[in-house]
Amino acid sequence: MSTSKTADVAGSKPNILLIVSDDTGWGDLGPYGGGEGRGMPTPNIDQMAAEGMTFFSFYAQPSCTPGRAAIQTGRIPNRSGMTTVAFQGQGGGLPKAEWTLGSVLKNAGYQTYFTGKWHLGESDYALPNAQGYEVMEHAFLYHANAYTYGDPTWFPDMDPKLRAMFDKVTKGSLSGKAGETAKQDWKVNGQYVNTPDKGVVGLPFLDDYIEKSGISFLEQAAKNPDKPFFININFMKNHQPNMPAPEFKHKSMSKSKYADAVVELDTRIGRVLDKLRELGLEKNTLVFYTVDNGAWQDVFPDAGYTPFRGTKGTVREGGNLVPAIAMWKGKVPAGVKNHDITGGLDLMATFASLAGVDLPSNDREGQPIYFDSYDMSPILTGSGKSKRTSWFYFTEDELSPGAARVGNYKAVFNLRGDDGAHTGGLAVDSNLGWKGPKKYVATVPQVFDLWQDPQERYDLFMNNFTERTWTMVTISQEVENLMKTYVKYPPRKLQSETYTGPITITNYQRYEWVRKQLEKEGVKIPMPTGN
């Protein structure tokens, strides 16, 4: 964790432009071997990589809401309670006590703007304009599929009463300034309609509004050059169902919906960056692009691609490794390929460091707070390395991680969905990534050397000339250190629970025992003894 204040690299506080896309696969984009080679050219993202730094071991969380919560808060999702995706109408969301990138940078003197996918709750206190963003425009509270639930052409078999409920509770595009009640600009549906004057806009057109808001924000911020800005642009593409805007239909080489949507995403990113250059802001602006979670291969072919094992929803690399590119003219060296362990959690400490402020020691309600964030600015500028040497992988209800990486070794304690989506004849009924069952293997974890075996195919624990129990010494210590933090900094109540089976008397009693043990002795991870 990094909370130390560091000297600002630019000599003055740099502007920050954070762009996040949805469900975009590690292997979809040109810098990662995708792009034109996969029938979906990404010239603008390729140019970002040529002018900046591409990260090859950059981690997210395995699904949308926890991924975005981790980016915004710099905390593993179970700390904020944002571990899973909420249905519309459930209310709740990001607790008002949490710090976000917006609130930390606003306190550092930044102009703060938000547009696009939020997916961190519906309650007024959980919206961007209540979480540190001075202006939010065209904020969307759900994943793309949610806007199709009330559409009779998508689900004609739905009970009319249920459809009416979804129509009533599903909020469309929201805009508003800090301190104001958010107003709905228009409803959203799953059709090719763009009629804001009639109160409805379809999914294919949302990214156009997001792009234009982002450009408008840049133009506004440029009028006040003495005050730095933080602009967070979150495109809805490429979450299934991918419905490219009309002008992008069949514009990819492969002419599939997903590929067309990747071309659309790349084009819109390019337009935002063109505006940044046009306004003369690129010299003092850090641009950072990344993705909320790993590829959702279970919905193939309308899905991203990852060369790694597993998919969205699992603790495998395929569910957690995501694209990330940083660009800052004159500060971030051009054309660099970085392989340090980094992740979306680290944007909080990095942006705070560049803004010249310490991370808060208390939350927004005055209680002690812990950040799982490490300062990446030495990596960005080539002046040093991050202090991060490990990464923890979580699914929805885990307090101890389902997997942990330290250095090049990864231990997998809890499998969810085994291998993710299978290929070939089994694919139709064996999509085990997002909806797969849990399988605990904690007694003897699987161990992989991610340098030699990035696809997690060869378990080295006892499948080698010599067993590698010794790899667990450092991994167990890292997990134990993590668990100790829960004693002083307990996780918040889950904001949206998922069904994990019946609540049993045994589990309740076990919880009471664990709580007492945490208070007395902390948590010990016993070493496997071998065989």
Side-chain angles (χ1 to χ4, degrees), residues 69-129:
I71 287 173
Q72 288 294 334
T73 66
R75 285 153 51 81
I76 54 178
N78 64 32
R79 296 196 193 278
S80 62
M82 303 299 293
T83 62
T84 192
V85 175
F87 255 112
Q88 57 263 52
Q90 286 188 322
L94 189 65
K96 55 186 176 183
E98 288 290 323
W99 289 99
T100 66
L101 295 175
S103 53
V104 167
L105 291 175
K106 182 179 179 180
N107 279 3
Y110 277 67
Q111 308 168 73
T112 55
Y113 304 84
F114 183 92
T115 184
K117 182 176 179 180
W118 180 242
H119 212 185
L120 295 177
E122 297 176 306
S123 294
D124 289 344
Y125 65 78
L127 300 183
N129 67 333

Side-chain angles (χ1 to χ4, degrees), residues 315-317 393 403-404 408-412 446-448 450 456:
V315 296
R316 296 295 191 189
E317 295 296 282
Y393 308 70
N408 55 305
Y409 285 103
K410 176 180 179 180
V412 180
Q446 297 179 347
V447 174
F448 302 96
L450 294 180
E456 299 172 89

Side-chain angles (χ1 to χ4, degrees), residues 410-432:
K410 176 180 179 180
V412 180
F413 304 102
N414 170 27
L415 295 180
R416 174 178 172 175
D418 289 339
D419 294 343
H422 292 277
T423 58
L426 292 176
V428 174
D429 56 0
S430 298
N431 296 333
L432 294 176

Side-chain angles (χ1 to χ4, degrees), residues 446-506:
Q446 297 179 347
V447 174
F448 302 96
D449 182 344
L450 294 180
W451 283 350
Q452 297 189 75
D453 178 28
Q455 292 178 317
E456 299 172 89
R457 293 182 296 178
Y458 303 101
D459 177 11
L460 294 176
F461 192 87
M462 290 183 184
N463 191 15
N464 203 304
F465 289 111
T466 59
E467 50 86 9
R468 296 205 173 202
T469 312
W470 59 266
T471 59
M472 292 305 301
V473 174
T474 52
I475 292 175
S476 295
Q477 185 61 55
E478 288 289 309
V479 174
E480 185 175 327
N481 292 340
L482 168 71
M483 297 300 290
K484 288 177 181 177
T485 67
Y486 295 132
V487 178
K488 184 176 179 182
Y489 308 96
R492 301 193 195 280
K493 177 182 179 295
L494 291 183
Q495 298 302 300
S496 175
E497 295 193 42
T498 187
Y499 184 70
T500 57
I503 299 173
T504 65
I505 296 172
T506 304

Side-chain angles (χ1 to χ4, degrees), residues 20-193:
V20 181
S21 64
D22 206 4
D23 281 17
T24 312
W26 195 92
D28 291 334
L29 310 177
Y32 295 88
E36 186 174 347
R38 293 198 47 245
M40 51 185 89
T42 56
N44 295 293
I45 293 173
D46 295 355
Q47 185 63 29
M48 282 189 70
E51 294 182 14
M53 181 177 292
T54 304
F55 294 86
F56 286 84
S57 294
F58 192 92
Y59 287 95
Q61 305 298 314
S63 68
C64 301
T65 292
R68 291 172 186 276
I71 287 173
Q72 288 294 334
T73 66
R75 285 153 51 81
I76 54 178
N78 64 32
R79 296 196 193 278
S80 62
M82 303 299 293
T83 62
T84 192
V85 175
F87 255 112
Q88 57 263 52
Q90 286 188 322
L94 189 65
K96 55 186 176 183
E98 288 290 323
W99 289 99
T100 66
L101 295 175
S103 53
V104 167
L105 291 175
K106 182 179 179 180
N107 279 3
Y110 277 67
Q111 308 168 73
T112 55
Y113 304 84
F114 183 92
T115 184
K117 182 176 179 180
W118 180 242
H119 212 185
L120 295 177
E122 297 176 306
S123 294
D124 289 344
Y125 65 78
L127 300 183
N129 67 333
Q131 290 282 352
Y133 292 94
E134 295 170 319
V135 179
M136 72 171 187
E137 188 170 81
H138 302 309
F140 301 96
L141 306 189
Y142 321 107
H143 59 292
N145 286 103
Y147 297 100
T148 69
Y149 294 162
D151 192 326
T153 63
W154 281 79
F155 303 107
D157 57 328
M158 184 183 289
D159 186 307
K161 292 180 181 178
L162 182 58
R163 182 178 299 119
M165 184 277 288
F166 279 124
D167 282 337
K168 180 179 180 181
V169 302
T170 304
K171 299 178 181 180
S173 169
L174 295 180
S175 298
K177 295 181 180 179
E180 299 177 351
T181 300
K183 291 185 171 57
Q184 180 171 274
D185 307 303
W186 23 259
K187 302 277 280 185
V188 177
N189 69 10
Q191 302 297 318
Y192 273 86
V193 295

Side-chain angles (χ1 to χ4, degrees), residues 49 68 81 133 190 237 241 252 260 273 336 388 423 460 486 500 523:
R68 291 172 186 276
Y133 292 94
K237 302 292 189 308
S252 66
D260 290 347
L273 297 182
V336 174
R388 178 182 290 286
T423 58
L460 294 176
Y486 295 132
T500 57
V523 171

